[in-house]
């Protein structure tokens, strides 16, 4: 039998440090993960569009070159472009965690999808060719979803809460005996 102290102990109170830590994971890691996702997509598009040379070795060099250039130039830009969306996703996750005690994948991906669709709808003016416009929109959505998914996994791992407290586990072991 559980008493009120055990039930209250099993629902930990949210802390400001935990809230800020979850947001910090998304802001610190979201933009580079998004940049990596865009770079991978551009490398794949470059390889499949015939821009690369015919030989496998040349295609491999092309893909590595595209990725390195993309990361060198994309990482600094990723923080300028992606810090605000990453902070919004992090705030949504942290608020959900403070309310329910869980770092939710559905909230992370839903918020990222909403922000990705908004960003992709604005990306259409950046590129004039229809194929380039579609690639930019897919890259934007992919960047948002990949960053939210990986940051969710890291935040969930770092800020894992035990399901029940030690007191309630001790009560269970006494009841089973």
């Amino acid at each position: 039998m559980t008493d009120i102290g055990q039930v209250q102990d099993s629902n930990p109170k949210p802390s400001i440090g935990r809230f800020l830590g979850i947001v910090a994971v998304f802001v610190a890691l979201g933009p580079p993960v998004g940049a990596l996702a865009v770079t991978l997509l551009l490398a794949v598009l470059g390889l499949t569009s015939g821009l690369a040379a015919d030989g496998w070795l040349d295609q491999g060099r092309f893909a590595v070159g595209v990725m390195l250039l993309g990361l060198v130039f994309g990482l600094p830009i990723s923080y300028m472009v992606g810090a605000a969306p990453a902070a919004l996703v992090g705030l949504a996750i942290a608020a959900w965690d403070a309310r329910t005690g869980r770092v939710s994948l559905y909230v992370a991906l839903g918020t990222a999808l909403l922000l990705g669709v908004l960003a992709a709808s604005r990306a259409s003016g950046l590129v004039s060719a229809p194929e380039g416009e579609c690639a930019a929109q897919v890259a934007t959505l992919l960047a948002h979803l990949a960053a939210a998914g990986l940051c969710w996994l890291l935040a969930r791992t770092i800020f894992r809460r035990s399901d029940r407290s030690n007191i309630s586990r001790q009560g269970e072991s006494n009841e089973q005996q």
Side-chain angles (χ1 to χ4, degrees):
M1 178 169 261
T2 60
D3 64 358
I4 192 73
Q6 291 172 342
V7 172
Q8 288 175 342
D9 193 32
S10 67
N11 295 326
K13 294 183 176 35
S15 70
I16 191 71
R18 180 180 173 88
F19 188 93
L20 293 175
I22 291 171
V23 174
V25 166
F26 279 83
V27 171
L29 299 176
V33 170
L36 181 62
V38 170
T39 302
L40 287 172
L41 177 68
L42 292 177
V44 168
L45 287 176
L47 288 172
T48 59
S49 68
L51 294 176
D54 292 338
W56 284 99
L57 186 59
D58 290 336
Q59 287 181 353
R61 285 186 199 148
F62 178 79
V64 169
V66 167
M67 288 180 59
L68 287 176
L69 281 174
L71 289 176
V72 165
F73 292 107
L75 282 177
I77 295 170
S78 72
Y79 280 103
M80 290 186 278
V81 173
L88 290 173
V89 175
L91 285 170
I93 294 297
W96 185 264
D97 176 67
R99 183 172 180 258
T100 65
R102 292 183 321 120
V103 178
S104 172
L105 177 62
Y106 298 120
V107 173
L109 292 180
T111 307
L113 182 63
L114 176 68
L115 292 171
V117 166
L118 288 173
S121 67
R122 295 189 52 130
S124 62
L126 299 175
V127 183
S128 61
E131 299 86 22
E133 181 179 321
C134 182
Q137 291 172 340
V138 169
T140 301
L141 282 173
L142 178 66
H144 281 78
L145 293 174
L150 185 66
C151 289
W152 164 81
L153 183 63
L154 291 171
R156 185 175 147 241
T157 303
I158 293 168
F159 298 102
R160 179 170 295 243
R161 286 186 174 155
S162 60
D163 291 335
R164 288 173 264 167
S165 68
N166 290 334
I167 295 172
S168 62
R169 285 192 199 126
Q170 290 172 355
E172 275 184 4
S173 64
N174 290 340
E175 286 178 8
Q176 291 174 354
Q177 291 176 353

